[in-house]
Amino acid sequence: MTKNLVIVESPAKAKTIEKFLGKDFTVRSCYGHIRDLAKGDDAIDIKNNFQPHYEISEDKKAVVSELKKLSKEAEMVWLASDEDREGEAISWHLSEALGLDAKKTKRIVFHEITKPAILRAVENPRNIDKHLVDAQQARRVLDRLVGFELSPVLWRKVKPSLSAGRVQSVAVRLIVDREREINSFNVTSAYKIVAKFNVGGKTMEGELGKRFATEAEAQAFLEKCKGADFTIKNLEVKPAEKSPAPPFTTSTLQQEASRKLGYGVTTTMSIAQKLYEHGFITYMRTDSVNLSELAITNAKETITQNYGGNYSNPRRYTTKNDSAQEAHEAIRPTYFENNEVEGTPQEKRLYDLIWKRAIASQMSKAQLERTIATIAISTLPDVLVASGEVLKFDGFLKVYLESTDEDGDEENSKMLPPLKVGENLLLNEIEATQRYTKASARYTEASLVKKLEELGIGRPSTYAPTIGTVQKRGYVIKEDRDGKERNFTVLTLAKNEISKEVKTEKYGTEKSKLFPSDIGMVVTDFLSKHFENIMDYNFTASVEEEFDKIARGQLVWNKMIAKFYSPFHSEVTKTNETAERQNAERLLGVDPVTGKNVSVRVGRYGPFAQIGENATDENPEKPRYASLRSGQLTETITLEEAIELFKLPRIVGQYEDKDIKASIGKFGPYLIHDSKFVSIPKTDDVFSIDLDRAIVLIDEKRIVEANKLVKVFPEDENLKVLNGRWGIYLAYGKDNYKLPKGSKAEDITFESAMKLVKVPSASKAANKTAPKKVAAKKTATKKTAAKKTAVKKTAAKKSAK
DNA sequence: CAGTGAGCGAGCTTCCGCTTGACTT
C-alpha cells in the first residue's frame, strides 16, 4: 500500500526519480498521452462549440487501469508530467480518466532530474493550469480539423490515401520550393585569380579581391602581371576568438549526427533512445540548451581534471527560439566523468558526440591570431590578399568542432610564413580558374529539421516521424544522384608565359538528399492555390501566438477555433465543388517520327509519357505509354528525354536461340531471356548495353542461382535450405525463415527445420490477414483483445525484473 | 517479384504530439 503515487511520462524517468523520493513514494509512468480524440470524423462536435470527444488510446488501456487501481489506494497522487503545453494536458487527461479527487491530487513540475529539483518540486505543488490545457486542446483540435478536412480533398482531386497537415504539408513545400529554386538557378562562371609565391621554401597564396567574368578579361589581367614585382604592402595582425556551440537539442543532435556520422534522423533518435534507457544520457527529445547546476559543476570538475583549470569556462545557455517550451534539459551525458560507455559501435559513437559537444560547451574559448597580408602589384592598382591563422590557445577545440552544411571549398586556416612590410616576393605562378556559381543545396533529413525548427514547425518528438511521413506518402524521395561533368578553363602565368588548359570537374553529386516527387509538387501547388494561409511558412507561428494567448487566459480556445474554422471550411467545400482533378499534364511537343503529340501526366501508377491522343470512338487507335524513370519529373522532362523512354523494351540480341530483351521495370533496369529476369547493375546503361555484356550478366546470374540451393528434403519438396546474401536460410514455399546463428547446412534435419517453419508461420499469417479485414468493428474488437494481452505480458515482464 | 495508364465503383485512406516496444528486410 503506497502513500504517494507519482506519475511521470517516461518509465526511465520513473526509475531514477523513485530513488530520490524514498519508500513513501511509488513512481509510475503513463507513457505519454493516454487519451486522444476519437478516431473517426465525429470526434469533434463542430456545431456544439467544437466539443472534443476523447477516448483512452487502445495501447494505453492497460496502463490506465493499473494507474487507476494505484491511485485509488494512494493517499496523494502527484501528477508530474512535463512542464509544457502537452505535459499539462497529460496531467489533465490523467485526472479525468483516473477520476482523481481534487483534494488528494497535486500537480508538480521540474525540468531537470536531480534530487534537489525533485524535492523542491514536491514542496511547491500547484493545481492543473486549465488555460494551458485549453491551449493544448486548441492545438489538437486545429490539427485534426486541418488534417481531416484537407486530406479527403486530396483523395478526390489528386489520389487516394494522400494526406495533408499543418506540419507535413509545409515540410513538403520547403522541398518543392528548393527544387524549383535549383532548377531555375542561373549558373554563371567567373575567373578567380590566385597567385602562388615562394617564401623561404614555403608556398603562400594570395587572392585577388575581384573575379573576372570572361576569359578575355582574365587573360588581360595575367598579361599585365608579366614581369611585375610583388611586394608586401601591408601586414595586419588581429586577435580573434572562437566560442563553442551550446549543448545538443534534438534538432542539433540530428544535424551533427547526420554530418559527422552520416546517420538519418530516425537512426539517431533510436540510438539516443537506447543511450537514454541505459541511463547514459539525459532525455533526447528536447528543445532546451539549458544545463542543470549539477551538470555544470560536474562538467567543470571533469574538464579541470582532464585538461586543466584554464580549459574550464562554465556557461549558461539560453534558447533563442520562440517556440521552444523547455520542459527538459539539453541532451548531455548523465555523468561527465564517463567519456565512453558500453554498447554497440553506433551507440558508442553517438555518445562520444554528445559527450564532446556538452563538455566543449563548458570549455574556454579558442584564441587565434589572424594575419592579413596585402600584396601590391607593380603594374596594376589591384592588390592580392593572403590570410593566415595561428591557434594561440586551443580551448574547446581540444575536443570538438561543430561542422557546417556547406561543403565549402574554402581552405581552412593556414599559417603564413614570417613576412615584412616592403618585402619582395618571388612569384611561382598565377592561376586564373573558372569557377561556377552554385544554387542552394538540397535538404538532407537533418537540414530540413533545422529549417522546420527555425520556422517553429513541429516538435522534437515529431521531427523524425514527420520526415518519415512525407517519404511514406511518396511526396519526397531520399536518394543519391550522380553528378554531371563539365569543363572549366584554367589560365596559368608561369615563367612569363601564359598557358591555357581545359579541365573537367564533376558537379551536382547528391548523397542522401531529399527530392520532391511529381505527386509532392502537384499536391503543394494545389494546396498553395486553394489554402494559401495553411501553406504559409508563418502559419504555425501565427497560430502559436493565439495558443499563447489562450494559455495566458486572454482568449477562449473554442472561439479561436471557430474564427479559424468558418472561412477554412467554406474554402474546403468550394474546392471540393469547383476544383478540377490534378494530373500535372503537360504537352511536350510533337514526335518527329509519327507527327503525334507527346505529353506527360501523373496516372494511377505514377508519372508517364504518352505519344498520341487517348482513344475515342472516331479514332480507336490507342496511344503508346512509357513510365518516367526515377529522378525524372513531369515538370522538367524534355521532349527528347520523353521520346528516349519509348526506345524500350529493346532486343539486345540472341543467346542460345532466344531473344534477350532490355527494359525498365518496377525494380529498375533488367534483361529478360528465356523468361528469366536479370537486373542490370547501375554501372551499365539499359539503352546501350551490348550482347556480350548481357550474356556475361545472364551467366553470372546462373552461377548464383546454381549455388543458391544448398539442401533439399525428400520428405517435402517445399522445404529448402538456400544460400543468400547473409548466409544460409530456410525457405518453405514462398516464405523465408531465419536459421539460428551458426547453423550448418549438414546439421539441419527435416524435423528441426519444420519446427522453425511452423512456429513463426502462425504469427506471420495473423499479421498478413489482419490489415486486410474489412469489417471494421469486428477487427477493432479483435485487435483490442490481442493488444491487451500483449501489454499485460510486457507489464508482467517488467515487474518481474 | 519487372506488360499497366479506362472505370459500373465497395470501402478504405487522413492530422500532430506525448511515450515505448515488437516487428522484418
Side-chain angles (χ1 to χ4, degrees):
Chain A
M1 200 99 330
T2 175
K3 276 187 178 165
N4 296 282
L5 172 66
V6 181
I7 304 176
V8 296
E9 292 181 39
S10 148
K13 212 176 188 178
K15 246 166 73 185
T16 358
I17 293 173
E18 195 148 49
K19 280 185 241 156
F20 295 144
L21 284 173
K23 64 173 182 349
D24 284 345
F25 288 80
T26 301
V27 187
R28 284 299 151 91
S29 144
C30 67
Y31 297 81
H33 276 297
I34 51 150
R35 292 205 309 190
D36 190 17
L37 290 175
K39 275 201 175 74
D41 285 333
D42 43 9
I44 300 165
D45 189 349
I46 292 167
K47 291 201 182 74
N48 191 11
N49 263 325
F50 302 91
Q51 194 56 46
H53 170 47
Y54 295 110
E55 280 176 357
I56 293 174
S57 313
E58 215 46 71
D59 54 340
K60 298 292 164 57
K61 289 199 166 152
V63 177
V64 170
S65 60
E66 169 82 1
L67 290 175
K68 206 173 204 167
K69 204 180 110 215
L70 288 169
S71 65
K72 291 257 147 58
E73 297 163 1
E75 285 167 23
M76 183 61 70
V77 179
W78 304 75
L79 300 172
S81 50
D82 296 345
E83 189 188 16
D84 58 12
R85 197 163 65 203
E86 298 296 328
E88 202 67 22
I90 288 175
S91 279
W92 177 72
H93 280 299
L94 278 169
S95 73
E96 296 272 304
L98 304 181
L100 297 182
D101 178 354
K103 279 176 287 192
K104 42 174 274 190
T105 305
K106 283 175 177 168
R107 168 81 171 115
I108 52 168
V109 293
F110 38 84
H111 51 257
E112 52 182 67
I113 318 286
T114 56
K115 195 169 181 176
I118 309 290
L119 296 179
R120 211 179 308 136
V122 169
E123 278 157 27
N124 296 288
R126 57 170 174 85
N127 294 320
I128 290 173
D129 179 349
K130 194 61 198 332
H131 290 313
L132 195 50
V133 173
D134 283 348
Q136 193 273 347
Q137 297 202 85
R139 199 278 305 154
R140 182 65 191 94
V141 167
L142 179 102
D143 282 338
R144 168 60 68 85
L145 290 172
V146 170
F148 275 38
E149 295 218 1
L150 284 188
S151 301
V153 179
L154 296 180
W155 305 342
R156 300 173 89 179
K157 304 296 180 185
V158 187
K159 211 178 119 172
S161 302
L162 293 178
S163 64
R166 173 177 58 83
V167 172
Q168 59 168 287
S169 296
V170 177
V172 177
R173 183 185 164 188
L174 283 166
I175 311 267
V176 170
D177 282 1
R178 178 60 56 86
E179 190 69 17
R180 292 202 170 124
E181 186 191 327
I182 292 168
N183 287 336
S184 63
F185 182 77
N186 193 10
V187 179
T188 58
S189 72
Y191 285 78
K192 172 182 170 180
I193 307 290
V194 175
K196 291 175 184 166
F197 301 99
N198 186 341
V199 185
K202 282 190 171 175
T203 302
M204 178 176 90
E205 292 188 351
E207 191 183 334
L208 189 70
K210 63 178 176 192
R211 294 184 179 197
F212 296 106
T214 63
E215 186 186 328
E217 287 172 80
Q219 174 92 22
F221 177 85
L222 293 186
E223 286 292 345
K224 285 193 183 140
C225 288
K226 278 187 180 171
D229 289 330
F230 297 87
T231 49
I232 300 284
K233 190 181 167 189
N234 187 33
L235 276 175
E236 200 183 343
V237 182
K238 271 197 286 193
E241 44 185 34
K242 268 193 190 124
S243 298
F248 282 133
T249 60
T250 302
S251 152
T252 52
L253 174 69
Q254 289 173 352
Q255 290 159 45
E256 278 290 86
S258 165
R259 291 184 290 230
K260 287 198 155 138
L261 309 176
Y263 297 163
V265 292
T266 315
T267 309
T268 300
M269 291 313 283
S270 67
I271 303 168
Q273 175 85 31
K274 285 276 172 317
L275 292 171
Y276 169 67
E277 283 167 10
H278 287 129
F280 296 151
I281 61 168
T282 56
Y283 198 55
M284 65 283 155
R285 291 187 275 265
T286 175
D287 51 20
S288 171
V289 286
N290 181 57
L291 294 178
S292 74
E293 211 53 57
L294 199 75
I296 293 176
T297 314
N298 186 209
K300 186 182 171 181
E301 283 163 11
T302 304
I303 293 163
T304 309
Q305 198 167 1
N306 290 3
Y307 312 107
N310 55 337
Y311 278 90
S312 164
N313 180 8
R315 274 191 203 83
R316 223 171 286 278
Y317 293 91
T318 48
T319 307
K320 283 184 195 124
N321 203 324
D322 288 343
S323 63
Q325 309 209 3
E326 308 219 45
H328 304 97
E329 271 189 83
I331 305 170
R332 63 161 173 93
T334 343
Y335 305 104
F336 281 96
E337 57 267 36
N338 299 337
N339 61 354
E340 56 179 34
V341 292
E342 291 298 311
T344 66
Q346 282 194 323
E347 287 164 18
K348 282 168 181 273
R349 294 179 75 193
L350 195 70
Y351 180 82
D352 183 61
L353 198 65
I354 293 167
W355 185 85
K356 283 178 173 164
R357 173 86 165 212
I359 277 283
S361 80
Q362 296 300 311
M363 288 175 75
S364 313
K365 290 176 184 174
Q367 305 293 335
L368 308 160
E369 195 176 81
R370 224 163 254 157
T371 307
I372 297 168
T374 315
I375 301 156
I377 310 167
S378 61
T379 53
L380 284 161
D382 305 279
V383 291
L384 301 164
V385 174
S387 63
E389 226 173 57
V390 180
L391 193 60
K392 291 285 178 184
F393 174 66
D394 54 1
F396 77 95
L397 291 177
K398 205 172 193 80
V399 298
Y400 182 86
L401 179 62
E402 187 181 24
S403 52
T404 58
D405 281 322
E406 284 78 45
D407 42 353
D409 42 8
E410 323 223 322
E411 50 266 52
N412 284 330
S413 52
K414 268 186 247 163
M415 228 167 97
L416 290 188
L419 297 165
K420 282 196 297 276
V421 175
E423 179 176 348
N424 268 317
L425 297 173
L426 182 63
L427 180 73
N428 268 342
E429 57 173 31
I430 306 180
E431 270 185 359
T433 310
Q434 187 182 16
R435 304 265 64 163
Y436 294 89
T437 50
K438 250 195 327 201
S440 311
R442 289 194 176 81
Y443 288 107
T444 60
E445 288 188 342
S447 68
L448 182 62
V449 167
K450 181 183 180 185
K451 187 69 193 174
L452 288 171
E453 188 189 36
E454 279 168 15
L455 295 168
I457 300 170
R459 303 279 313 129
S461 66
T462 60
Y463 294 138
T466 300
I467 306 276
T469 302
V470 297
Q471 293 179 70
K472 211 163 91 193
R473 298 273 176 274
Y475 294 144
V476 168
I477 308 139
K478 179 173 89 172
E479 62 183 5
D480 301 345
R481 296 243 176 118
D482 272 341
K484 292 181 204 150
E485 295 208 325
R486 70 180 163 204
N487 290 335
F488 67 102
T489 305
V490 183
L491 303 175
T492 309
L493 168 69
K495 294 175 185 147
N496 268 336
E497 291 283 330
I498 298 174
S499 59
K500 175 177 167 177
E501 196 183 349
V502 176
K503 295 183 176 176
T504 59
E505 64 179 353
K506 221 175 180 190
Y507 73 102
T509 307
E510 298 282 27
K511 262 214 97 182
S512 282
K513 291 290 175 64
L514 300 175
F515 294 85
S517 69
D518 275 297
I519 287 289
M521 292 179 135
V522 169
V523 166
T524 297
D525 288 345
F526 181 76
L527 292 176
S528 302
K529 188 174 162 200
H530 299 282
F531 303 95
E532 199 189 344
N533 65 325
I534 286 167
M535 295 300 278
D536 192 311
Y537 290 138
N538 293 315
F539 177 69
T540 292
S542 67
V543 291
E544 281 289 342
E545 276 179 29
E546 311 237 290
F547 296 154
D548 286 346
K549 277 189 202 155
I550 296 170
R552 289 194 299 265
Q554 297 162 345
L555 186 62
V556 178
W557 80 267
N558 37 18
K559 284 196 178 148
M560 179 246 155
I561 294 294
K563 203 174 153 201
F564 162 80
Y565 185 73
S566 127
F568 169 72
H569 182 67
S570 59
E571 195 59 45
V572 168
T573 313
K574 197 179 112 196
T575 308
N576 267 331
E577 283 164 5
T578 60
E580 288 192 0
R581 248 196 112 73
Q582 306 292 306
N583 61 8
E585 185 164 5
R586 202 162 71 90
L587 183 65
L588 300 183
V590 174
D591 174 25
V593 179
T594 59
K596 290 178 179 170
N597 278 339
V598 181
S599 62
V600 285
R601 172 155 56 105
V602 180
R604 274 195 303 172
Y605 310 110
F608 66 99
Q610 171 175 344
I611 299 182
E613 307 298 335
N614 284 347
T616 58
D617 287 344
E618 295 151 32
N619 179 21
E621 193 189 341
K622 275 194 168 182
R624 294 178 66 205
Y625 302 108
S627 288
L628 262 58
R629 301 193 58 184
S630 77
Q632 288 179 328
L633 293 170
T634 55
E635 183 166 311
T636 50
I637 192 169
T638 62
L639 178 64
E640 292 70 30
E641 286 165 344
I643 290 171
E644 187 80 29
L645 295 170
F646 291 90
K647 292 186 177 159
L648 293 177
R650 69 178 244 277
I651 309 280
V652 180
Q654 280 76 36
Y655 180 42
E656 295 167 352
D657 298 329
K658 283 181 180 122
D659 279 349
I660 302 176
K661 240 183 352 188
S663 193
I664 296 171
K666 208 170 162 187
F667 310 115
Y670 66 91
L671 296 168
I672 184 164
H673 171 252
D674 194 15
S675 62
K676 287 196 181 81
F677 291 96
V678 181
S679 292
I680 299 176
K682 272 201 170 168
T683 42
D684 290 284
D685 179 40
V686 232
F687 292 101
S688 60
I689 192 166
D690 62 15
L691 183 61
D692 290 346
R693 177 67 182 149
I695 291 172
V696 170
L697 290 175
I698 291 166
D699 287 346
E700 277 175 4
K701 172 84 185 263
R702 284 181 180 171
I703 293 169
V704 172
E705 285 288 312
N707 289 335
K708 203 175 167 187
L709 195 61
V710 180
K711 196 172 186 177
V712 285
F713 299 87
E715 293 92 334
D716 189 340
E717 61 179 14
N718 285 319
L719 185 69
K720 288 165 191 152
V721 177
L722 299 175
N723 206 353
R725 270 172 73 187
W726 300 287
I728 55 169
Y729 66 97
L730 267 185
Y732 189 84
K734 278 185 175 176
D735 292 328
N736 295 337
Y737 303 92
K738 233 177 175 170
L739 283 165
K741 266 185 196 168
S743 296
K744 282 182 187 152
E746 56 265 34
D747 301 340
I748 301 165
T749 65
F750 178 73
E751 287 72 25
S752 71
M754 284 311 285
K755 262 186 211 162
L756 292 168
V757 170
K758 272 179 186 158
V759 179
S761 72
S763 74
K764 217 174 190 182
N767 278 341
K768 271 185 186 167
T769 51
K772 276 187 194 161
K773 280 183 189 163
V774 191
K777 278 178 189 167
K778 277 184 186 170
T779 47
T781 53
K782 273 186 189 171
K783 270 185 200 165
T784 318
K787 275 192 181 165
K788 259 186 193 165
T789 55
V791 171
K792 271 182 192 162
K793 265 181 208 162
T794 55
K797 255 187 231 163
K798 265 186 194 140
S799 58
K801 275 184 186 176

